[in-house]
């Protein structure tokens, strides 16, 4: 009788444990799938003929990563990836007007202006609502001279690489902006909580890099003749090649005690000066640190 009772109890335990184990396996599988974003939410191809007169690109996106690279041919390829299959009405959409291609995240936050949204409770609440429904966007563009790229993203990262653009403009909230192998006349990046990263193969005539709470890290293979960088609570790291001289205004550099430099700087006329001091680096940093590094041979 005792053996039968033990056998019965063992059977009951197995029945109870098996569903739990199955649930654990399913949960793990779902988590792995979520991390990999294996679901293709939508794919769009814009033909060479449709794209022939396009000179400008606009992107409005949230909750994910936007990657823009070079197309293998003359067509445009747009792929949206997600954790789960979204409704068709919530997937990426595009439209062309005159010389501009616009790409929209239809399950996105409203198009917030970064003005007036410096770490407010309203902004944080909106970001939390969208955190678990992020989508990645991959765009492959044909190689040509573009007039303007304009990105407006909320809680999304983006990587732009291998393109030539007259003007690059970005407005980001809580996202990292990264530039690789870009040639431009003007790069203008404005962020609230995100970081701004420039690789050494980026070249522009003018740089305007501003982040309220994020860090700015820029590597220059050619010395910048027109550079403005601004942070309130973030840090600025500039890697610069050897040059004939530059200067920095001490009145704008509030954090002079947190200035580290591989260049031998001297003080004169409320400035930090290297050699002839001709090129002015416009650096504004309130509470963070500023680091100037010498570029090693690459």
């Amino acid at each position: 009788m005792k053996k039968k009772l033990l056998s019965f109890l063992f059977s009951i335990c197995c029945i109870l444990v098996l569903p739990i184990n199955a649930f654990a396996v399913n949960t793990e599988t779902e988590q792995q799938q979520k991390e990999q974003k294996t679901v293709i939410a939508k794919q769009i191809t814009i033909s060479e003929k449709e794209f022939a007169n396009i000179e400008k690109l606009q992107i409005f996106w949230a909750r994910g990563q936007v990657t823009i690279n070079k197309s293998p041919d003359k067509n445009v390829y747009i792929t949206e990836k997600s954790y789960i299959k979204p409704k068709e009405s919530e997937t990426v959409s595009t439209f062309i007007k005159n010389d501009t291609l616009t790409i929209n995240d239809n399950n996105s936050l409203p198009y917030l202006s970064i003005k007036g949204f410096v770490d407010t409770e309203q902004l944080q609440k909106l970001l939390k609502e969208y955190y678990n429904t992020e989508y990645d966007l991959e765009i492959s563009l044909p190689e040509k001279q573009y007039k303007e790229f304009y990105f407006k993203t909320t809680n999304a990262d983006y990587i732009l690489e291998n393109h030539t653009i007259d003007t690059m403009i970005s407005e980001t909230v809580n996202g990292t902006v990264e530039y690789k192998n870009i040639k431009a006349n003007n790069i203008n990046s404005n962020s609230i909580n995100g970081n701004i990263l420039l690789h050494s193969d980026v070249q522009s005539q003018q740089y305007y890099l501003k982040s309220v709470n994020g860090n700015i890290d820029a590597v220059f293979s050619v010395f910048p003749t027109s550079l403005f960088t601004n942070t309130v609570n973030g840090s600025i790291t500039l890697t610069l090649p050897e040059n004939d001289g530059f200067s920095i205004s001490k009145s704008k550099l509030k954090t002079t005690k947190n200035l580290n430099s591989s260049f031998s700087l001297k003080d004169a006329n409320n400035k930090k000066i290297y050699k002839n001091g001709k090129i002015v680096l416009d650096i504004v940093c309130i509470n963070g640190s500023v680091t100037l590094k010498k570029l090693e041979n690459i």
Side-chain angles (χ1 to χ4, degrees):
M1 182 68 181
K2 186 175 181 181
K3 289 183 178 179
K4 288 183 178 180
L5 179 61
L6 290 173
S7 178
F8 174 74
L9 292 174
F10 178 75
S11 298
I12 294 295
C13 290
C14 288
I15 292 171
L16 293 173
V17 169
L18 281 173
I20 295 172
N21 288 339
F23 175 77
V25 171
N26 289 336
T27 302
E28 184 178 354
T29 302
E30 289 172 2
Q31 182 63 28
Q32 288 174 348
Q33 184 181 24
K34 183 176 180 180
E35 291 174 353
Q36 293 173 357
K37 294 185 189 173
T38 54
V39 177
I40 301 297
K42 193 167 185 178
Q43 289 182 308
I44 299 172
T45 300
I46 300 174
S47 68
E48 177 183 358
K49 183 178 180 181
E50 293 175 287
F51 196 71
N53 297 321
I54 299 301
E55 297 180 323
K56 298 179 181 179
L57 178 69
Q58 292 184 334
I59 297 177
F60 302 94
W61 204 258
R63 308 171 328 281
Q65 179 170 290
V66 179
T67 303
I68 300 180
N69 49 39
K70 191 181 295 184
S71 174
D73 50 40
K74 299 295 184 179
N75 298 327
V76 176
Y77 300 97
I78 300 170
T79 303
E80 180 181 12
K81 294 183 179 180
S82 59
Y83 297 139
I84 58 175
K85 187 71 173 179
K87 297 178 182 178
E88 177 62 26
S89 61
E90 297 176 347
T91 58
V92 61
S93 66
T94 65
F95 68 89
I96 294 174
K97 184 177 180 181
N98 300 326
D99 63 347
T100 303
L101 168 63
T102 299
I103 301 174
N104 283 323
D105 180 356
N106 289 327
N107 193 23
S108 178
L109 291 169
Y111 300 151
L112 299 175
S113 170
I114 63 173
K115 295 179 181 179
F117 275 101
V118 181
D119 202 24
T120 64
E121 290 184 7
Q122 181 184 0
L123 175 61
Q124 295 304 321
K125 182 180 178 181
L126 287 170
L127 294 178
K128 188 175 181 179
E129 290 176 1
Y130 284 82
Y131 181 75
N132 291 322
T133 55
E134 65 180 40
Y135 298 83
D136 287 350
L137 182 67
E138 297 177 2
I139 305 170
S140 296
L141 297 174
E143 184 177 7
K144 66 177 181 178
Q145 178 79 37
Y146 292 92
K147 281 188 177 179
E148 181 181 286
F149 281 5
Y150 174 71
F151 296 167
K152 197 167 189 177
T153 59
T154 306
N155 209 32
D157 301 327
Y158 75 77
I159 301 171
L160 175 64
E161 56 184 335
N162 302 324
H163 282 291
T164 303
I165 312 152
D166 287 342
T167 302
M168 175 66 230
I169 303 171
S170 67
E171 292 187 4
T172 60
V173 179
N174 279 27
T176 295
V177 180
E178 187 172 2
Y179 298 101
K180 299 178 180 179
N181 192 26
I182 297 299
K183 291 182 174 59
N185 290 326
N186 182 22
I187 294 178
N188 186 326
S189 286
N190 197 332
S191 176
I192 290 183
N193 296 319
N195 300 323
I196 300 173
L197 309 175
L198 271 73
H199 291 252
S200 61
D201 49 11
V202 174
Q203 294 184 20
S204 180
Q205 299 297 315
Q206 295 179 317
Y207 300 88
Y208 180 95
L209 312 174
K210 184 177 180 180
S211 184
V212 177
N213 297 317
N215 301 322
I216 297 172
D217 191 338
V219 181
F220 299 95
S221 58
V222 177
F223 196 86
T225 56
S226 179
L227 171 66
F228 172 81
T229 58
N230 184 317
T231 65
V232 177
N233 298 315
S235 298
I236 298 173
T237 302
L238 304 177
T239 303
L240 304 162
E242 183 55 80
N243 57 89
D244 293 332
F246 61 86
S247 61
I248 304 170
S249 170
K250 290 171 64 177
S251 60
K252 292 184 178 181
L253 196 66
K254 304 297 183 182
T255 179
T256 50
K257 292 182 180 179
N258 290 323
L259 172 64
N260 300 296
S261 176
S262 299
F263 300 90
S264 181
L265 304 176
K266 61 182 181 180
D267 292 302
N269 300 322
N270 198 34
K271 295 179 180 179
K272 291 284 187 179
I273 298 175
Y274 178 64
K275 291 185 176 179
N276 62 27
K278 283 187 177 181
I279 297 177
V280 178
L281 299 182
D282 199 344
I283 301 175
V284 179
C285 186
I286 308 301
N287 298 317
S289 63
V290 174
T291 302
L292 305 178
K293 297 180 179 180
K294 278 191 180 182
L295 179 69
E296 298 179 359
N297 293 330
I298 55 176

